[in-house]
Amino acid sequence: MTHKPGIVITGASGRMGQMLIKTVLDSDKATLVGAVERGGHDWVGRDVGEAMGGVPLGVTVTDDALEAFSKAQAVIDFTAPEATLEFAALAAQARAVHVIGTTGMTDEQIAQLAPAARHAVIVRAGNMSLGVNLLVQLTKKVAAALDEDFDIEVIEAHHHHKVDAPSGTALMLGEAAAEGRGVKLADVSDRGRDGITGARKRGDIGFTAIRGGDIVGEHDVLFAGAGERIVLRHMATDRALFARGALKAALWGQDKSPGEYDMIDVLGL
Ligand SMILES: NC(=O)C1=CN([C@@H]2O[C@H](COP(=O)(O)OP(=O)(O)OC[C@H]3O[C@@H](n4cnc5c(N)ncnc54)[C@H](OP(=O)(O)O)[C@@H]3O)[C@@H](O)[C@H]2O)C=CC1
Ligand SMILES: O=C(O)C1=N[C@H](C(=O)O)C[C@H](O)C1
């Protein structure tokens, strides 16, 4: 019988946490060995299956992340930036693959992952879906093919619970467009237009964020020229998409050397 990697899910009660637990349970390639929530959360100490409203699974939700990680081969983490930094240090200590879906991390926070990546595999992406990662590559290609006569705008829409903007995916797409153009996103990024903004600056990459209802995640990259527009679009209709990608990353990382990777590496795009 082949060994199935043991997976711990952090932020177990969250929208993605619960989706990830279901995805691991449905998989014949991995086993759920832990579920983590923060201290004081009312799920701590309960069976995770029962907490989710189903049958007992024999996995008790814990707030002791290190103890849970030390029994696992991978940690899948869709939580919040401060929590993810703590989990990175603990996953490295346990030598577990750390799959990070958390968005809204600052450049400084991302840089703080480097010490952990010296000891363990980290796979981090603002979007774990095949479609978006393909869109990233297409965006780079189209941006490289067109000059600054085409204005680039990234437009994203998400549910009303989302706390960060622009979305992690929008930033990935903006980075790809900037890379295609051979510029740094930080030098051309235009975020949060309001009031008398002045005319659009040639070469800028603009971002717009829509928040409403239960939109899972939609992203357009618009290339607007004189007399024509090109739109590259991805629409997610089911969070299971992200969870499947994250599990794929956790399995992919099992035989890799310590370091930082992304979904382009995992998917071989
Ligand atoms: N990369 C990708 O493909 C995707 C990324 N995401 C990202 O995943 C993240 C989570 O999204 P979502 O599931 O919708 O959010 P939720 O708010 O539903 O869930 C977040 C979970 O993380 C926990 N958490 C938050 N802060 C901490 C902390 N400091 N310590 C411990 N646990 C903490 C929350 O616990 P509590 O309830 O106690 O606060 C909750 O269980 C977001 O950053 C989102 O953008 C989402 C979808 C796809
Ligand atoms: O918060 C979400 O829900 C999502 N977040 C990710 C992002 O910030 O891009 C990915 C997906 O769009 C859903």
Side-chain angles (χ1 to χ4, degrees):
M1 199 169 68
T2 51
H3 172 69
K4 291 188 197 177
I7 312 278
V8 171
I9 305 297
T10 59
S13 74
R15 276 175 292 278
M16 279 306 300
Q18 295 194 49
M19 185 56 80
L20 286 157
I21 288 168
K22 286 183 195 138
T23 302
V24 174
L25 292 173
D26 284 349
S27 169
D28 57 5
K29 298 195 175 79
T31 313
L32 183 73
V33 295
V36 172
E37 257 305 340
R38 64 170 129 202
H41 194 283
D42 61 4
W43 280 29
V44 172
R46 296 179 64 194
D47 182 279
V48 72
E50 288 179 335
M52 285 169 63
V55 296
L57 296 170
V59 173
T60 303
V61 181
T62 179
D63 57 5
D64 188 340
L66 183 57
E67 222 244 330
F69 293 2
S70 62
K71 296 183 194 132
Q73 280 69 54
V75 175
I76 306 184
D77 174 19
F78 285 58
T79 54
E82 322 75 55
T84 288
L85 283 182
E86 278 176 38
F87 293 145
L90 300 178
Q93 223 174 304
R95 301 293 189 266
V97 172
H98 188 192
V99 178
I100 301 175
T102 306
T103 58
M105 296 180 80
T106 63
D107 289 346
E108 291 71 28
Q109 287 171 322
I110 291 166
Q112 286 172 39
L113 294 171
R118 281 200 281 277
H119 303 287
V121 171
I122 293 181
V123 182
R124 187 181 64 83
N127 196 304
M128 301 277 172
S129 78
L130 169 64
V132 158
N133 284 278
L134 197 56
L135 194 70
V136 164
Q137 303 294 60
L138 293 173
T139 298
K140 203 186 301 178
K141 218 171 168 172
V142 176
L146 301 174
D147 65 17
E148 290 184 353
D149 285 346
F150 283 82
D151 297 324
I152 303 179
E153 293 283 316
V154 182
I155 303 134
E156 54 107 336
H158 284 87
H159 53 93
H160 57 210
H161 299 289
K162 187 160 179 63
V163 296
D164 55 310
S167 68
T169 311
L171 292 170
M172 283 165 68
L173 293 166
E175 289 284 0
E179 204 180 317
R181 276 211 167 147
V183 296
K184 275 196 176 148
L185 182 60
D187 295 337
V188 297
S189 172
D190 187 3
R191 288 158 64 160
R193 295 184 192 115
D194 188 16
I196 309 294
T197 59
R200 192 184 197 285
K201 215 170 122 206
R202 186 177 163 84
D204 272 0
I205 296 176
F207 291 87
T208 300
I210 293 162
R211 295 288 175 266
D214 60 358
I215 303 170
V216 173
E218 299 179 1
H219 293 86
D220 277 8
V221 187
L222 167 68
F223 296 83
E228 60 181 338
R229 296 199 292 275
I230 300 162
V231 186
L232 302 181
R233 168 171 296 171
H234 183 268
M235 300 176 80
T237 54
D238 185 348
R239 283 188 180 85
L241 181 73
F242 311 128
R244 284 197 299 268
L247 179 57
K248 189 182 257 257
L251 300 174
W252 176 90
Q254 292 305 309
D255 60 359
K256 300 297 176 294
S257 303
E260 289 186 63
Y261 302 89
D262 60 22
M263 283 307 282
I264 303 282
D265 298 315
V266 173
L267 298 167
L269 295 174

